[in-house]
Amino acid sequence: MSSTNRFVTETTFYVRYAETDAMRIVHHSSYVVWFEEARSDYTRQRGEDYANFERQGLYLAVTEVNARYLKPAIYGQRITIRTWIETLQSRGMTFAYEVLNTDTRETHVTGYTKHICIDGQGAVKRIPEAWKKVGRERVKITQLRQKKQHYNG
Amino acid sequence: MSSTNRFVTETTFYVRYAETDAMRIVHHSSYVVWFEEARSDYTRQRGEDYANFERQGLYLAVTEVNARYLKPAIYGQRITIRTWIETLQSRGMTFAYEVLNTDTRETHVTGYTKHICIDGQGAVKRIPEAWKKVGRERVKITQLRQKKQHYNG
Amino acid sequence: MSSTNRFVTETTFYVRYAETDAMRIVHHSSYVVWFEEARSDYTRQRGEDYANFERQGLYLAVTEVNARYLKPAIYGQRITIRTWIETLQSRGMTFAYEVLNTDTRETHVTGYTKHICIDGQGAVKRIPEAWKKVGRERVKITQLRQKKQHYNG
Amino acid sequence: MSSTNRFVTETTFYVRYAETDAMRIVHHSSYVVWFEEARSDYTRQRGEDYANFERQGLYLAVTEVNARYLKPAIYGQRITIRTWIETLQSRGMTFAYEVLNTDTRETHVTGYTKHICIDGQGAVKRIPEAWKKVGRERVKITQLRQKKQHYNG
């Protein structure tokens, strides 16, 4: 999975104690919650807040989650999640994630989530144009990214 | 807090690994989730399923939670929650809980939750008669409880 | 993914209210927690309680999670998870899951989790023989399963 | 509960979608998790990181949680938690919290948590001097707070 030539957001926060488990590491389900928060933040950084999306009566329902666990994170450390749109179709999209140790930049987890656009009755809908622009503006976005000094592997 | 002369349900389940934290014990917020599941089960055992309550457009919103932690529970053990209605008003009610080790009957946590009856717009409503009966039928219920061999401290 | 000719456990419970989200359905991360509880229950049903496994100083660390979401589950319904061991290596294993509506037998979610056996210092270890037997006893297990009237698709 | 003349930290973050429930509001157990993150942040802001506390083999075990729910928070909004030490004893302490809407400053929830200092074996211990200073430096801290323009009700 490559994030080349795409807009990549970074979301940084501390591990919460409640997110750990009896192995003294972050519980593996916490990363799935973090993926979701990372894509919420992606939409906020892009100016297309997902909360507004829902106010229009549309939802990006999750159809698949995948996470690969490379190195455990622990309480007391900071997490940075790099998030980008991997693919964009007319009715669905795939977000990809790298969960890093903020300080060492080591990768804890990589993953992706697949989504389909539905309305409140569960009917599949086209993704609105304003949202599709998010996936198209690669060059412009790349420039924006460079200004923000985001790493782009 | 006394449960004398009231209907007391028991709800039993295993601790989930995700409910533990880095102290190798059950995270204190998990008991709040368990209280909720215990009162869901209370309504199922009483024949007044809370899911049906919501289908009528009513909700028992939580207005207060209190939990006292006496002895930590751990992964691998079974939990039994004793649940009863402590007080019942026209528009609100209080549930009380004892969280026990199923095998040793030691108390892990005691607590209560206060609730107010609201509709979908948040307006305060009277609790329906069918639900209020739950709090009144003490003697009959006590007999039922004795048949079920529930302890009644 | 096929569960033919393998031991398949079934674990049944009610959806908890805390497991839902603002789409009024079960949050997608809840299924990851349920997978874990389903494999805990698998080990209990097989007589090889995972809690005992940890008491020996061994852990089955999660290296990958995958979940495909077919149909949302909601509060008030019962869930049955069918769980089996998909593959078993000397140092790792894969569990597979089908999350069903207990009453209609519709499939909500399918998924798998991959695991590696480690000790408390994170060193990779061989899975103990007692545990490996779990994956081998297929025919005997199938018979056991039929007695329990588990469906085997 | 008054926060007059005490050091008060503010911790701000977005509501996560996973923290909501089928009432379309933040689930009441989420605030208990937020309390914990708020007091973690309190210790970081005071230069006495709780993660370091645990590295010394000490824990602030939770002995009581109380939360009063005044107004529901929803996905898409920002939360600010005001946190202070309400009481400090030789072996225990009480943290108090106000959970506010960051933009409107309305109060969603108020609460407190009581703690006891224990070691890894569960034996009750004195709180180290460095930590007790946190509760004593009121005047100096108040000045610090005023510089930071924290409200002090």
Side-chain angles (χ1 to χ4, degrees):
Chain A
M1 199 179 308
S2 156
S3 59
T4 307
N5 211 21
R6 284 182 177 81
F7 186 71
V8 180
T9 58
E10 298 208 349
T11 303
T12 295
F13 51 86
Y14 280 93
V15 171
R16 296 177 178 178
Y17 205 88
E19 292 165 342
T20 61
D21 67 23
M23 287 181 74
R24 297 190 183 278
I25 59 176
V26 171
H27 190 264
H28 63 284
S29 70
S30 302
Y31 298 90
V32 176
V33 173
W34 293 352
F35 288 172
E36 182 178 63
E37 178 55 16
R39 66 182 178 271
S40 281
D41 194 45
Y42 181 99
T43 67
R44 287 191 296 258
Q45 290 192 34
R46 295 302 306 272
E48 293 290 341
D49 186 344
Y50 180 70
N52 281 325
F53 195 71
E54 287 209 348
R55 274 181 220 113
Q56 300 165 36
L58 293 173
Y59 300 86
L60 281 179
V62 178
T63 58
E64 186 177 345
V65 166
N66 191 272
R68 286 167 190 266
Y69 301 88
L70 306 177
K71 183 180 160 50
I74 60 171
Y75 172 71
Q77 73 164 86
R78 280 193 304 160
I79 294 294
T80 295
I81 307 190
R82 302 180 71 242
T83 307
W84 64 94
I85 293 175
E86 184 71 20
T87 60
L88 180 68
Q89 294 94 27
S90 59
R91 293 170 176 80
M93 61 204 302
T94 302
F95 278 95
Y97 314 90
E98 285 174 8
V99 180
L100 309 177
N101 181 312
T102 306
D103 298 313
T104 66
R105 303 297 286 189
E106 285 177 292
T107 303
H108 293 299
V109 171
T110 61
Y112 63 84
T113 55
K114 295 189 178 182
H115 303 268
I116 196 161
C117 183
I118 58 169
D119 65 16
Q121 283 69 49
V124 178
K125 293 288 175 183
R126 284 183 168 275
I127 296 173
E129 272 307 307
W131 273 66
K132 287 174 78 174
K133 278 199 328 197
V134 164
R136 282 201 213 100
E137 293 172 12
R138 295 199 183 179
V139 178
K140 188 176 155 200
I141 294 309
T142 302
Q143 290 164 345
L144 186 71
R145 188 175 60 248
Q146 284 168 344
K147 260 193 303 191
K148 286 191 176 180
Q149 295 179 298
H150 287 159
Y151 173 76
N152 188 17
Chain B
M1 200 178 308
S2 156
S3 59
T4 308
N5 212 20
R6 283 183 177 82
F7 186 72
V8 180
T9 58
E10 297 209 350
T11 303
T12 295
F13 52 86
Y14 280 93
V15 172
R16 295 176 179 178
Y17 206 88
E19 293 165 342
T20 61
D21 67 23
M23 287 182 75
R24 297 191 182 279
I25 60 176
V26 171
H27 190 263
H28 63 284
S29 70
S30 302
Y31 297 90
V32 177
V33 173
W34 293 353
F35 288 171
E36 181 178 64
E37 179 55 15
R39 65 181 179 271
S40 282
D41 194 45
Y42 181 99
T43 67
R44 288 190 296 258
Q45 290 192 36
R46 296 301 306 271
E48 293 289 343
D49 186 343
Y50 180 70
N52 281 325
F53 195 73
E54 287 209 348
R55 274 180 220 112
Q56 299 165 37
L58 293 173
Y59 300 86
L60 281 178
V62 179
T63 57
E64 186 178 345
V65 166
N66 190 271
R68 286 168 191 266
Y69 301 88
L70 307 177
K71 185 181 155 53
I74 60 170
Y75 173 71
Q77 73 165 86
R78 278 194 305 160
I79 294 295
T80 295
I81 307 189
R82 303 179 71 242
T83 307
W84 64 93
I85 292 175
E86 186 71 20
T87 61
L88 179 69
Q89 295 94 27
S90 60
R91 293 171 175 80
M93 60 204 302
T94 302
F95 279 95
Y97 315 89
E98 285 175 9
V99 180
L100 310 176
N101 181 312
T102 306
D103 299 314
T104 66
R105 303 298 285 189
E106 286 177 290
T107 303
H108 293 300
V109 171
T110 63
Y112 63 84
T113 55
K114 296 189 177 180
H115 303 267
I116 197 161
C117 183
I118 58 168
D119 65 15
Q121 284 68 51
V124 178
K125 292 288 175 184
R126 285 183 167 275
I127 296 173
E129 271 308 307
W131 273 66
K132 286 173 79 173
K133 279 199 329 198
V134 164
R136 284 200 213 101
E137 293 171 13
R138 297 198 181 180
V139 179
K140 189 177 155 200
I141 294 310
T142 302
Q143 290 164 347
L144 186 71
R145 188 175 62 247
Q146 284 167 346
K147 261 192 303 190
K148 286 192 176 179
Q149 296 179 299
H150 287 158
Y151 173 76
N152 188 17
Chain C
M1 201 180 307
S2 156
S3 58
T4 308
N5 212 22
R6 283 183 177 82
F7 186 71
V8 180
T9 58
E10 297 209 350
T11 303
T12 296
F13 51 86
Y14 280 93
V15 171
R16 296 176 179 178
Y17 205 87
E19 292 165 343
T20 62
D21 67 22
M23 288 182 72
R24 297 190 182 280
I25 60 176
V26 171
H27 190 263
H28 63 283
S29 70
S30 302
Y31 297 89
V32 176
V33 173
W34 293 353
F35 288 171
E36 182 178 63
E37 178 55 16
R39 66 182 179 271
S40 281
D41 194 45
Y42 181 99
T43 67
R44 288 190 295 258
Q45 290 193 33
R46 296 301 307 272
E48 293 291 342
D49 187 344
Y50 180 70
N52 281 325
F53 194 73
E54 287 209 349
R55 274 181 219 113
Q56 298 166 38
L58 293 174
Y59 301 86
L60 281 178
V62 179
T63 57
E64 186 178 345
V65 166
N66 191 271
R68 287 168 190 266
Y69 301 88
L70 306 177
K71 184 180 157 54
I74 59 171
Y75 173 72
Q77 74 165 85
R78 279 193 305 160
I79 294 294
T80 295
I81 307 190
R82 303 180 71 242
T83 307
W84 63 94
I85 292 175
E86 185 72 19
T87 61
L88 180 68
Q89 294 95 26
S90 60
R91 293 170 176 80
M93 60 203 303
T94 302
F95 278 95
Y97 315 90
E98 285 175 9
V99 180
L100 309 177
N101 181 312
T102 306
D103 299 315
T104 66
R105 302 300 284 189
E106 286 176 291
T107 303
H108 293 300
V109 170
T110 62
Y112 62 83
T113 54
K114 295 190 178 181
H115 303 268
I116 197 161
C117 183
I118 58 169
D119 65 15
Q121 283 67 50
V124 178
K125 292 288 175 184
R126 287 185 165 274
I127 296 173
E129 271 308 304
W131 273 66
K132 287 175 78 172
K133 278 199 329 196
V134 164
R136 284 199 212 100
E137 294 171 12
R138 297 200 181 180
V139 178
K140 189 177 155 200
I141 294 310
T142 302
Q143 290 164 346
L144 186 71
R145 187 176 63 247
Q146 285 168 346
K147 263 193 300 190
K148 286 192 177 180
Q149 296 179 297
H150 287 159
Y151 172 76
N152 188 16
Chain D
M1 199 178 308
S2 156
S3 59
T4 307
N5 211 22
R6 283 182 178 81
F7 187 71
V8 180
T9 58
E10 298 209 349
T11 303
T12 296
F13 51 86
Y14 280 93
V15 171
R16 295 177 179 178
Y17 205 87
E19 292 165 342
T20 62
D21 67 23
M23 287 182 73
R24 297 191 182 279
I25 60 176
V26 171
H27 190 264
H28 62 284
S29 70
S30 302
Y31 297 90
V32 177
V33 173
W34 293 352
F35 288 172
E36 182 178 63
E37 178 55 16
R39 66 181 178 271
S40 281
D41 194 45
Y42 181 99
T43 66
R44 288 189 296 257
Q45 290 192 33
R46 295 301 305 272
E48 292 291 342
D49 186 343
Y50 180 70
N52 281 326
F53 194 73
E54 288 209 348
R55 273 180 220 113
Q56 298 166 38
L58 294 173
Y59 301 86
L60 282 178
V62 179
T63 58
E64 185 178 345
V65 166
N66 190 271
R68 287 168 191 265
Y69 301 88
L70 307 177
K71 184 180 158 51
I74 59 171
Y75 173 72
Q77 74 165 85
R78 278 192 306 160
I79 294 294
T80 294
I81 307 189
R82 302 180 71 243
T83 306
W84 64 93
I85 292 175
E86 185 70 20
T87 60
L88 179 68
Q89 294 93 27
S90 60
R91 293 170 176 80
M93 61 203 303
T94 302
F95 278 96
Y97 315 90
E98 285 175 8
V99 180
L100 309 177
N101 181 312
T102 306
D103 299 314
T104 67
R105 302 298 286 188
E106 286 177 291
T107 304
H108 293 300
V109 171
T110 62
Y112 63 83
T113 55
K114 295 190 177 181
H115 303 267
I116 196 161
C117 183
I118 58 169
D119 66 14
Q121 282 69 49
V124 177
K125 292 289 175 184
R126 287 184 166 274
I127 296 174
E129 272 308 306
W131 273 66
K132 287 174 79 173
K133 278 199 329 196
V134 164
R136 283 200 213 100
E137 294 172 11
R138 296 198 182 180
V139 178
K140 189 178 155 200
I141 294 308
T142 302
Q143 291 164 346
L144 186 71
R145 188 176 61 249
Q146 284 167 346
K147 260 192 303 190
K148 285 191 177 180
Q149 296 179 301
H150 286 160
Y151 172 76
N152 187 17

